Amino acid sequence: MLNQKEMNSITQVDEFAEILAAARRMQQDWLEYGVNYVHLYVEDADGDWLETWDDDEILNHSLLDTIKEFLVSNDDIAVKIRYRLRDRPLFDLAVDLEECVRISREDQKILAISDILARYLHICDLDLLDLANSLLDKLLSFSQNIF
């Protein structure tokens, strides 16, 4: 048991050392190349990414933004989700929920949301279905206001 903890600590230290080395390389490249260092790290630095920034579906998606705003709100359902979510990222949950809302069949939406909540919140009980139904009602009201 102790050896396993030591191995986990060594692995974490190794991962941190790699991340730190990459950050140092990036800083050194910045010092060496100036703002042109970006060409080393960004594939299309000279492209039209700035002009097409609004075209990016995930950045300019009002339903996703609304879901994210809901998840950080003081709504009882959002608070319950955040409490059980623990260390999982809210953004990932919001993206998955947004995909569920876009499912065309209503019966499939609730199953997809239940599955996502079970995966993210690690719960499998009757409260899950109630939570999924309540969340679906909220999400559908958001999507109707947007579309």
Side-chain angles (χ1 to χ4, degrees):
M1 182 76 153
L2 185 60
N3 287 337
Q4 183 66 26
K5 281 188 174 184
E6 289 176 8
M7 291 302 293
N8 286 342
S9 295
I10 291 171
T11 303
Q12 289 176 345
V13 169
D14 289 343
E15 290 174 5
F16 179 72
E18 288 177 24
I19 293 169
L20 185 59
R24 286 182 177 154
R25 275 191 306 275
M26 181 182 256
Q27 184 179 24
Q28 186 59 38
D29 288 341
W30 187 357
L31 292 171
E32 188 173 330
Y33 299 106
V35 292
N36 290 328
Y37 89 102
V38 93
H39 294 284
L40 299 172
Y41 295 92
V42 178
E43 225 175 88
D44 190 25
D46 290 328
D48 64 346
W49 61 270
L50 185 57
E51 290 81 16
T52 60
W53 185 281
D54 287 339
D55 297 343
D56 192 351
E57 181 181 341
I58 203 150
L59 291 176
N60 192 27
H61 202 277
S62 56
L63 178 57
L64 179 61
D65 291 340
T66 305
I67 292 171
K68 289 187 302 186
E69 289 172 14
F70 167 73
L71 289 173
V72 297
S73 73
N74 290 330
D75 186 276
D76 292 340
I77 297 167
V79 170
K80 189 182 287 189
I81 288 171
R82 283 195 316 271
Y83 175 75
R84 290 187 167 198
L85 191 63
R86 298 202 170 93
D87 62 342
R88 303 277 310 257
L90 274 176
F91 180 78
D92 293 346
L93 176 61
V95 168
D96 288 345
L97 290 173
E98 191 259 349
E99 289 176 12
C100 290
V101 171
R102 295 190 176 283
I103 295 173
S104 59
R105 291 185 45 200
E106 293 298 319
D107 59 328
Q108 294 296 321
K109 285 181 187 182
I110 192 65
L111 292 174
I113 289 176
S114 296
D115 180 52
I116 287 171
L117 290 178
R119 210 167 6 121
Y120 276 85
L121 307 180
H122 305 292
I123 55 173
C124 292
D125 55 18
L126 293 178
D127 291 339
L128 174 66
L129 193 55
D130 290 339
L131 183 61
N133 277 316
S134 300
L135 181 58
L136 179 60
D137 290 342
K138 293 278 184 180
L139 297 177
L140 288 177
S141 70
F142 298 148
S143 67
Q144 289 170 356
N145 292 335
I146 291 172
F147 298 117

